[in-house]
Amino acid sequence: KKFGEAVQNYRKAIAMSSADPVIYYNMARALLESGDAYQATAAFRRALMLNPNFKEADQALKKLNAT
């Protein structure tokens, strides 16, 4: 339940500042914890579109794609 609330809060933050890759990265992590790998993948990709040098997002996406 906590991760679902976190995702909702990240969505609100994105509505206010959609250009922050860290918000997408953190939301992706919460989505993963809540079992939504599909949406997590999309959020990691969005973080990388905003910052192609975002090492943590790149590593998390590679790990997710390897499973």
Side-chain angles (χ1 to χ4, degrees), residues 18-32:
S18 63
D20 186 347
V22 175
I23 296 172
Y24 286 96
Y25 172 76
N26 289 334
M27 183 173 71
R29 293 183 58 207
L31 285 162
L32 268 181

Side-chain angles (χ1 to χ4, degrees), residues 6-62:
V7 170
Q8 288 178 347
N9 289 331
Y10 287 125
R11 291 189 194 282
K12 289 177 187 175
I14 287 168
M16 294 175 8
S17 175
S18 63
D20 186 347
V22 175
I23 296 172
Y24 286 96
Y25 172 76
N26 289 334
M27 183 173 71
R29 293 183 58 207
L31 285 162
L32 268 181
E33 290 295 328
S34 67
D36 192 345
Y38 180 79
Q39 291 294 323
T41 298
F44 282 134
R45 287 184 178 152
R46 180 68 176 153
L48 286 168
M49 284 178 22
L50 293 169
N51 179 1
N53 298 316
F54 196 157
K55 188 176 184 178
E56 292 87 353
D58 184 50
Q59 290 172 341
L61 186 58
K62 286 177 181 173

